[in-house]
Amino acid sequence: MNNHLTRAIIGCDTTWDYAQLMPIGCLLWRDLVGYTPRVMLVGNEAAWSVDSCTSAALAALRHHGIEHVFVRPAPSYKTSTVAMTARTHAACDPALPGEAWLLLADADLWPTSRSVYRRHEHRAERAVAYFHNANCFQNKEEVLSGWDAQVPFQPISSNYFTMRVGGFRELYRYASPDSGESVRATLDEHLRPRMERIPEKASDAQWHFDEYRMSERLCRQPWFDRDVVLVPRGGEHPRGHLAPWAEGGDWEGGMRVEEWVDVHIRKGVYAERRWEKLLPVLHRLLPMHAEWMRGYFEDSVKDAR
């Protein structure tokens, strides 16, 4: 285990929209940005071996030697909620050194810039929230009042939030060194009351819960104002954030994806061979994996044909 590199922590369940994209994201974090990816997989090996997409994804992690941890699902909660919450609980692993940095990432949000995500490495502050305003975060007073009243508020984005392992442990005070047990304990203590308060909106309460909890924990600390670096993302349609499917990006026309900060991939890439449009740009970003990626996508969609 290399303890000197920042770890990009990705949470993922077996939903095809995310499972298929996740190994590519891991390679971008490792071979483009230079970080060690670790994936929190909701379920067990059997659950990740039931179809072509999940089997190919798990095989890809093993083929490329990418760290992955199986996290038990938590009864009564969506697997997506477990996956997102598991990212903030990766630090419960006692094998991770307290001084190592963890950067939280999404399976379908891929980095395309090496330099942007390295600003935290030599900072003295406790945490760096890259693009903290992606969810229109306003201030800590709104976060704390909303949390205490159990009403919606604008949280700090968990995507690209970066903090040392010791900092996560201080904030969350994990119930167990086992990630599955620790996640379930957090959900039972802090999410379940919100679900039971308005039963007809129990599903809504799970949406962004990980960001709600993380924001509350951060804003509650006396050091928040001085020790959390907030890096904004500008513009109504964030500058640097490329959503090619929504914006009709012309991959074949020579779009310079390297000029962008990240790419948000549209769900359902496996349908209608949409992944074919991704290959040219992926070949530019990850030329060393060009041949493997075509075979990977072909294998992953076999059950969709």
Side-chain angles (χ1 to χ4, degrees), residues 9-26:
I9 307 297
I10 297 172
C12 193
D13 63 9
T14 56
T15 303
W16 278 36
D17 285 335
Y18 301 99
Q20 186 196 40
L21 302 172
M22 171 265 296
I24 306 298
C26 289

Side-chain angles (χ1 to χ4, degrees), residues 152-173:
F153 56 86
Q154 305 303 130
I156 297 171
S157 175
S158 59
N159 283 325
Y160 310 137
F161 177 79
T162 311
M163 187 164 60
R164 296 185 187 276
V165 169
F168 278 103
R169 289 170 179 164
E170 177 186 344
L171 285 189
Y172 285 89
R173 301 192 180 278

